Amino acid sequence: MKIEFRNDPLTELKCAVLVAFGFEDNPASSGTVERLPSGTRALLDELKAAGELTGKSYECTLIHHPEGVAAQKLLVVGAGKKEKFEDAHLRRLSGTAVRYLRARGVHELAWLLGRREAKAGIQSVVEGAIVADYDADTLRTERNGERRIDRLELAAEGAVDDAARAALERGRIIAEAQTFTRELVNEPANTLTPTKLAKSAEEMAAHFGLDCQVMGSQEIRDLKMGAFWAVAQGSDEPPKLIVVHYTHPEAPASLVIGLVGKGITFDTGGISIKPAADMHEMKTDMAGGATMLGVMQAIAQLKPKVRVIALVPATENMPGGNAYKPGDVITSMSGKTIEILNTDAEGRLVLADALTYAKQLGCTALIDAATLTGAVTIALGNITTGVFGWNQEWVNRVLASAAATGEKMWQLPVDEDYRDLYKSAIADIANTGGRYGGAITAAMFVGEFAGDTPWVHLDIAGTRWSNEEKPYRAKGPTGHGIPTLVHLLTNLA
Ligand code: BES
Ligand code: MN
Ligand code: ZN
């Protein structure tokens, strides 16, 4: 999608469709519709009186030959209640316009910016448009995804400054990072093996000037990653440990952020095998890893003054002849022994060793993202990511970035009293804490390996994927978490 500013007057701005939005109660005169000439607004008033234009969220009204503007058509998108409006809503509005118009064979649109549009607003419009222009049906012969928007013009009033251009660029970078992640999450496990995931990471890193190392079975064993290896040994596909480095020359030496992402390319459950229904969804069990790779792609372009290392332990969880078994006791890289009670609690095992290694590489603050538990989806549904951590200051930073970007995240507790749930009679700890409080005990298990290092865990099991098509986003992988983490990393100083 080519995106450019235009500042011609509306009487001269030739385009297929001009898009404006209007708020509920006043959809003909509040919102960016107020920039439209009076003739068009009179028509909108008529539509409003007839009940055809309400301004309710995502309502789309297409008008042919609007009076006094050079565009062939005008699309008015409903923006909902004005009091509740935030910049982040613009993402959904531009996204709604993109999906509505794509479905009607339109390939170009001009988005009417508000008077003195905030920079965050420009970023949101761009992000929303690119995010909406994605469809998951990549392997269909006749794709929805082929009905793409080729051109988005941002119709500004007056001169466009450097800050506005930077906001456009930032929106594009973040949305394209989400597309990269969504494509990985969407790819079936028969082609997206750990080897292919590592190859994608290497290609991304080479393209954006990052340093990437990929370690294989021998190195994983040499590093004594007994927990990661236990999961990997049941599969014929070789595991990979993907490590991507980003260092800004002026980054303070005292802060090294470790981003650890769960990279299970398919989770059968192993010997504790999952039921057949919905097992296909487990091709998405590498979403945490894909999220961290997407974040690296974005910061490679945005260049914040920090040092970041992303680590993705990638493997299948299979019930092969050499698979680990319930009752096994394994020794993690940290030296802690773990009794396996359920081989389906594999994510925390690969994260345990990756976190230990992250600390060994010098990380001073850690964030992990993982499709870790079904329990978090029971608690928060597919809407909100579960946030966990002992270090409240570090948790607060993540929550503040989530709030700033409009991504829904909610803190759930970690507490010593839950520790008893995952104690083992024969090893240091057990790998499950039972059904109750499952998202919490899983998070705490992972946190045991972060130790005293500030750490935040994001359980994205619910938010990685949307089973519902929205007016502003296709059904399928979401890219959730990337805007928040990019905001965090670019606002650390
Ligand atoms: N990958 C799953 C969690 C999951 C469930 C992700 C649904 C996305 C959607 C994870 O490895 C898992 O199987 N967790 C178990 C843990 C249990 C065995 C303690 C779960 O949640 O049932
Ligand atoms: Mn599992
Ligand atoms: Zn899993």
Side-chain angles (χ1 to χ4, degrees), residues 295-314:
V295 170
M296 295 308 277
Q297 169 172 320
I299 63 167
Q301 299 167 82
L302 292 167
K303 304 198 187 328
K305 288 182 183 150
V306 280
R307 228 186 116 190
V308 185
I309 307 175
L311 300 97
V312 182

Side-chain angles (χ1 to χ4, degrees), residues 66 83 91 103 132 160 166 194 202 239 396 420 476:
E83 314 83 75
R91 284 212 292 253
V160 174
E202 283 174 324
N396 285 346
D420 287 345

Side-chain angles (χ1 to χ4, degrees), residues 10-18 65-66 69-74:
L10 298 184
T11 45
E12 286 162 33
L13 190 128
K14 287 204 180 62
C15 59
V17 184
L18 179 69
H65 311 301
V69 299
Q72 289 161 25
K73 293 175 193 171
L74 169 69

